[in-house]
Amino acid sequence: NAGVTQTPKFQVLKTGQSMTLQCAQDMNHEYMSWYRQDPGMGLRLIHYSVGAGITDQGEVPNGYNVSRSTTEDFPLRLLSAAPSQTSVYFCASSYDRRTYSYEQYFGPGTRLTVT
Amino acid sequence: GQNIDQPTEMTATEGAIVQINCTYQTSGFNGLFWYQQHAGEAPTFLSYNVLDGLEEKGRFSSFLSRSKGYSYLLLKELQMKDSASYLCAVSTDSWGKFQFGAGTQVVVTP
């Protein structure tokens, strides 16, 4: 099992550019989430999904879009990058219906810089 | 508002015990989770509590009191590799929705 994978690992964007951060999991988890982590602020939830076709906003959704067309994939789109979106982005998945376990697993992160 | 509070930093000696407290006030509560995060790495899951009481997993134990909005993570027989940030998180309105505290940096000294 690869677990949770994210691409790219590093990205530099110019203000106004758009891009998609990719996230995939092979653990057949129901739930997937996107977080950003800034120094001294902990992890903040951007968007989350409790199943294919179902997404909802977290604490800091503005400037980001998500979709969940399959159980495995949960891409995060930055519509028009701003310097305030410079951060480390983590994707996570949880809830194994076979074991009723809610353990959450994180991907390795994407370090994004917007200039 | 919603709040999850934990101390910013704690220092302890190798072989000792450290207790990291976490208090929370959230709009909903499904469970409380603890993660370990080494610098430059992703968080890794340690334990979670749904019901009041103590959960033990090797050198790590986590306690929950829902009526007090309080949890702690106990790290026993500290090792140098335990130097990391420890994150407290609450699953709030939905099991898929989490709110995190800012993290407690634990420094283990020889």
Side-chain angles (χ1 to χ4, degrees):
Chain A
N1 278 358
V4 181
T5 57
Q6 290 182 238
T7 54
K9 284 191 167 45
F10 299 93
Q11 183 70 51
V12 179
L13 289 178
K14 293 189 188 309
T15 297
Q17 287 184 317
S18 62
M19 80 159 295
T20 299
L21 307 186
Q22 300 292 345
C23 175
Q25 54 95 7
D26 63 359
M27 295 174 283
N28 207 30
H29 282 167
E30 299 279 322
Y31 305 155
M32 295 186 76
S33 307
W34 275 103
Y35 298 89
R36 58 178 290 174
Q37 187 171 37
D38 302 296
M41 297 197 71
L43 287 155
R44 290 184 292 168
L45 183 65
I46 304 171
H47 287 285
Y48 68 102
S49 167
V50 297
I54 307 168
T55 63
D56 206 348
Q57 295 182 350
E59 191 183 343
V60 288
N62 292 343
Y64 308 94
N65 270 359
V66 292
S67 59
R68 183 117 180 257
S69 54
T70 67
T71 303
E72 295 78 21
D73 299 296
F74 192 44
L76 177 73
R77 280 181 289 279
L78 278 70
L79 309 171
S80 176
S84 60
Q85 293 178 305
T86 293
S87 188
V88 179
Y89 291 84
F90 290 105
C91 178
S93 73
S94 63
Y95 191 47
D96 186 337
R97 193 179 283 278
R98 297 165 296 182
T99 62
Y100 302 104
S101 170
Y102 289 95
E103 294 183 21
Q104 185 169 214
Y105 294 88
F106 284 80
T110 295
R111 281 145 184 80
L112 176 69
T113 302
V114 182
T115 61
Chain B
Q2 306 209 90
N3 248 3
I4 298 179
D5 293 313
Q6 45 182 135
T8 306
E9 185 170 316
M10 303 181 74
T11 302
T13 309
E14 200 175 6
I17 298 173
V18 71
Q19 177 175 314
I20 306 168
N21 295 327
C22 172
T23 57
Y24 63 90
Q25 273 184 303
T26 55
S27 58
F29 181 88
N30 294 306
L32 190 136
F33 293 68
W34 286 96
Y35 298 86
Q36 179 190 62
Q37 186 177 25
H38 285 102
E41 297 182 8
T44 55
F45 169 82
L46 291 176
S47 72
Y48 74 94
N49 298 66
V50 175
L51 302 176
D52 291 356
L54 191 68
E55 290 280 340
E56 299 196 71
K57 276 193 172 192
R59 294 190 299 113
F60 299 102
S61 304
S62 57
F63 171 83
L64 175 67
S65 168
R66 288 171 297 168
S67 62
K68 293 191 167 92
Y70 168 71
S71 173
Y72 67 72
L73 179 70
L74 200 66
L75 285 64
K76 293 176 263 192
E77 300 167 16
L78 278 172
Q79 301 174 10
M80 298 300 291
K81 67 179 182 181
D82 297 328
S83 290
S85 182
Y86 291 84
L87 311 176
C88 169
V90 172
S91 169
T92 57
D93 310 307
S94 152
W95 268 107
K97 189 174 184 181
F98 287 85
Q99 185 170 348
F100 279 76
T104 299
Q105 185 67 41
V106 170
V107 177
V108 181
T109 59

